[in-house]
Amino acid sequence: MADLSTVLDRRLQLIKASRKTNAAGRVRRYDGQIVHATSFPAAVGTECRIACENGAWAQAEVIGFLDHYTVMVLTGGPAPLLAGARVETMHRADLVPVGDGLLGRVIDGSGAVLDGLPAPHLDASWPLRGEKVNPLRRRPVREALDVGVRALNGLLTVGRGQKIGIIAGSGVGKSSLLSCIARFTEADIVIIALIGERGREVSGFVEDLSASPSFGHTIVVAVPADQSPVLRLRGLHRATAYAEYFRSRGKNVLLMVDSLTRVAHAQRELGLALGEHPTTKGYPPSVISLIGSVLERGGLDAQSGGSLTGVYTILADGDDTTNDPIVDTSRAILDGHVVLSRKQAEQGIFPAIDVNASISRTMIDCVTGGHMARARKFRRYLSLWEQNRDLMLLGGYQTGQDPELDMAFQIHSSLVGYIAQGMQERSTLIESEARLQALLP
């Protein structure tokens, strides 16, 4: 026991000494993004700097250890590194500066401002990856949240504190629907994480959002697709940390992430670099673990009275919403999902919400019995029309044989009109319910 105690004391002394003298290693392998250096005492998450050929320093972050090497990822993109280049530790990135100065600002994954304004004054901090919370502190979802989109308010009512996913292939309108929700939702704080998206799309999204009166209580964390996978992951954790901080102050927070799939891609890059074995579609086990840990950071806090409602877009590769591992894993953890249909988008129906393929698991606890019954009847009529459309067009059905089917075909255009909504049109929760009641008394 004495020998073990001596070894542990010695290791502690080395760690303390390294923090004072900037522990150093030497570059041994480099492939343009991943750096392997000789081992030096630095925990995962430590930010480092590496001497470049041109005399500058490249920024990197420790992501793990492999075969006597410390593995790092460059956070600033490719750099002119040489074999044997010196590596020095800088600081840990475990805490995120937070405060009201973030409101109305655009931040990147490392916390730097992107809007050209002076850096905000922040007088508090929050753990980057959140705090462990007793599940018994999570209050059940009982209150409806007005998101301003008629199909969601009336047919897939979102609860305050719910976690819901928007699932669709590329180019079906995920970002447009997200923009409507961001502008129309009744929330104290709106936090938008644009992770792994095109730079042009990020610029356009921020430009449209900044023209809205709600931008004053909005925070945007933007990490485009050309950024390091470490920064993409850090951008997601940073946005979630901001949301947790404001929730701890009793605020009702809406967190929107576009997209969770790009985050999974970033984790896949890092996992494979560390030697993890790929599984379905090349995703290592750490991706599944990441999704679960991130999604569970939302919800209601019984202690502060605040709420964190999460909306996450999920890209279905090839419009496959059944076999994609990210879609399947997320759907199992989320409190509901909204599927966008390419078929409806091609017909000019926006938002292209496939009502029958979507579900809100908390809706039954947030609306009246009458509202729930009408939403179910809406789904029934929509399903009947879809199942019997070809039969009717071919003349295989005579009107009057089934009153319910007759009604489905009679009001189908009104059902579609209820779903369709303009980008600048807002439909409150009360208006959505009233229109649903008028359509299906």
Side-chain angles (χ1 to χ4, degrees):
M1 293 296 292
D3 292 339
L4 178 59
S5 177
T6 302
V7 171
L8 293 176
D9 289 343
R10 177 57 179 164
R11 287 183 179 177
L12 182 60
Q13 292 173 6
L14 287 173
I15 292 174
K16 290 180 178 179
S18 68
R19 290 174 178 170
K20 295 178 181 178
T21 61
N22 289 347
R26 295 287 177 178
V27 173
R28 289 293 176 260
R29 293 175 57 187
Y30 173 53
D31 64 1
Q33 188 72 31
I34 307 296
V35 180
H36 290 68
T38 54
S39 295
F40 56 92
V44 172
T46 300
E47 293 189 10
C48 303
R49 64 178 188 172
I50 307 173
C52 298
E53 181 185 19
N54 56 11
W57 292 91
Q59 307 297 316
E61 181 177 318
V62 176
I63 61 170
F65 312 96
L66 180 65
D67 297 334
H68 307 293
Y69 290 108
T70 298
V71 184
M72 297 170 288
V73 172
L74 295 180
T75 57
L81 303 184
L82 298 176
R86 181 179 175 84
V87 181
E88 296 182 355
T89 59
M90 295 170 61
H91 54 80
R92 295 290 300 276
D94 293 343
L95 294 177
V96 175
V98 292
D100 291 338
L102 293 167
L103 300 179
R105 305 301 302 273
V106 183
I107 310 294
D108 71 3
S110 62
V113 295
L114 294 176
D115 50 18
L117 301 175
H121 174 69
L122 307 174
D123 54 3
S125 61
W126 192 265
L128 178 65
R129 297 179 183 271
E131 296 178 334
K132 290 289 184 182
V133 178
N134 186 332
L136 298 182
R137 273 182 54 185
R138 299 295 195 207
R139 293 186 290 118
V141 176
R142 293 284 187 270
E143 181 184 355
L145 176 67
D146 187 352
V147 298
V149 178
R150 185 165 48 248
L152 297 182
N153 280 340
L155 307 174
L156 300 162
T157 308
V158 178
R160 195 178 296 278
Q162 181 178 356
K163 304 180 291 291
I164 194 164
I166 299 176
I167 304 172
S170 57
V172 187
K174 296 187 304 300
S175 298
S176 298
L177 178 57
L178 213 65
S179 176
C180 290
I181 296 173
R183 288 182 285 113
F184 298 151
T185 298
E186 291 185 349
D188 298 327
I189 307 291
V190 177
I191 300 173
I192 305 171
L194 303 175
I195 310 296
E197 298 300 320
R198 299 181 296 272
R200 176 192 58 79
E201 187 173 353
V202 170
S203 176
F205 192 100
V206 172
E207 183 177 351
D208 292 342
L209 195 62
S210 60
S212 171
S214 63
F215 190 69
H217 62 263
T218 300
I219 305 171
V220 179
V221 179
V223 189
D226 60 345
Q227 297 294 310
S228 161
V230 166
L231 287 182
R232 278 178 266 156
L233 286 173
R234 200 186 295 174
L236 170 68
H237 290 302
R238 181 176 292 275
T240 309
Y242 291 160
E244 289 175 321
Y245 165 72
F246 285 106
R247 178 182 61 184
S248 71
R249 293 175 51 190
K251 302 292 186 180
N252 293 314
V253 183
L254 174 66
L255 171 64
M256 313 180 74
V257 177
D258 187 17
S259 70
L260 193 62
T261 303
R262 305 299 186 194
V263 173
H265 290 173
Q267 181 61 39
R268 178 170 60 182
E269 291 182 48
L270 299 185
L272 295 178
L274 287 172
E276 285 191 71
H277 294 293
T279 56
T280 307
K281 291 197 175 182
Y283 289 105
S286 61
V287 173
I288 308 303
S289 176
L290 171 70
I291 292 174
S293 63
V294 167
L295 295 182
E296 279 300 300
R297 293 172 68 176
L300 299 167
D301 188 353
Q303 184 172 326
S304 68
S307 67
L308 198 171
T309 305
V311 179
Y312 305 85
T313 66
I314 306 166
L315 179 64
D317 291 336
D319 290 343
D320 184 2
T321 62
T322 56
N323 298 316
D324 187 286
I326 304 304
V327 172
D328 196 44
T329 300
S330 303
R331 187 163 45 197
I333 301 173
L334 291 165
D335 301 320
H337 56 271
V338 177
V339 177
L340 301 187
S341 166
R342 188 174 299 277
K343 182 179 179 180
Q344 289 183 208
E346 291 171 349
Q347 295 172 354
I349 303 172
F350 291 100
I353 297 175
D354 187 341
V355 175
N356 287 326
S358 308
I359 189 171
S360 173
R361 295 191 179 102
T362 64
M363 178 178 179
I364 193 170
D365 297 319
C366 299
V367 300
T368 63
H371 185 170
M372 193 70 196
R374 283 185 284 274
R376 286 173 176 165
K377 187 183 292 186
F378 189 106
R379 288 170 175 267
R380 173 67 176 163
Y381 285 145
L382 207 58
S383 178
L384 281 173
W385 184 90
E386 186 66 31
Q387 293 171 10
N388 296 278
R389 176 178 178 273
D390 293 341
L391 182 66
M392 293 284 285
L393 293 177
L394 293 173
Y397 173 81
Q398 296 297 322
T399 303
Q401 294 178 346
D402 186 339
E404 193 176 28
L405 185 55
D406 293 341
M407 178 62 71
F409 275 83
Q410 180 181 340
I411 67 171
H412 178 259
S413 59
S414 299
L415 300 180
V416 173
Y418 185 88
I419 296 173
Q421 181 175 334
M423 283 285 294
Q424 304 303 322
E425 177 189 355
R426 180 182 182 183
S427 180
T428 67
L429 189 63
I430 295 175
E431 292 170 349
S432 301
E433 184 178 358
R435 182 165 171 177
L436 181 63
Q437 186 173 2
L439 180 60
L440 299 170

